[in-house]
Amino acid sequence: MTAAETQPHAPGDGVGGHLLLERVAAGDALAFGNLYDAVVVETYAICLHNLANPSAADKAMVRTWIFIWSHAAALNDQSGSTQSIVLSTAWAVTSQHHTRPL
């Protein structure tokens, strides 16, 4: 593995801005970690804002990132930046959770 492959990448890297999602879709755990590191603060802020409970926000973070890992190929087909795709995924996960009783 080269030094370039181990360095964090911005979520907008790559052709079409989705290099990290392409790599995550291929099962690249390092790319998943880089993507997580790049947007974890914003993702958690969305979860906490929508759920207003740190415990529920933590659970939503887990659901969000499992969804991203499991559906990276489909997410990669969406338009927009990788960051906007990840953040809209967090919003969707927490919005669905918000409408159900805890």
Side-chain angles (χ1 to χ4, degrees), residues 2 4 9 18 20-21 25 28 30 34 40 42 44 51 56 62 65-66 71 75 81-82 84-85 87 97-98 100:
T2 68
H9 297 279
H18 294 207
L20 283 176
L21 279 174
D28 185 337
L30 181 60
N34 289 337
V40 65
E42 296 91 341
Y44 187 73
L51 301 173
V62 171
W65 287 99
I66 288 173
H71 297 89
L75 293 172
S81 70
T82 300
S84 69
I85 292 167
L87 298 181
H97 181 75
H98 188 64
R100 297 182 309 206

Side-chain angles (χ1 to χ4, degrees), residues 83-101:
Q83 181 177 10
S84 69
I85 292 167
V86 169
L87 298 181
S88 65
T89 300
W91 192 268
V93 167
T94 57
S95 295
Q96 291 171 359
H97 181 75
H98 188 64
T99 60
R100 297 182 309 206

Side-chain angles (χ1 to χ4, degrees), residues 36-92:
Y36 179 87
D37 289 344
V39 292
V40 65
V41 172
E42 296 91 341
T43 307
Y44 187 73
I46 289 170
C47 292
L48 190 57
H49 172 78
N50 283 347
L51 301 173
N53 174 322
S55 177
D58 290 346
K59 291 175 185 174
M61 283 287 286
V62 171
R63 283 192 309 277
T64 297
W65 287 99
I66 288 173
F67 184 90
I68 291 167
W69 176 258
S70 302
H71 297 89
L75 293 172
N76 189 44
D77 289 338
Q78 293 183 8
S79 62
S81 70
T82 300
Q83 181 177 10
S84 69
I85 292 167
V86 169
L87 298 181
S88 65
T89 300
W91 192 268

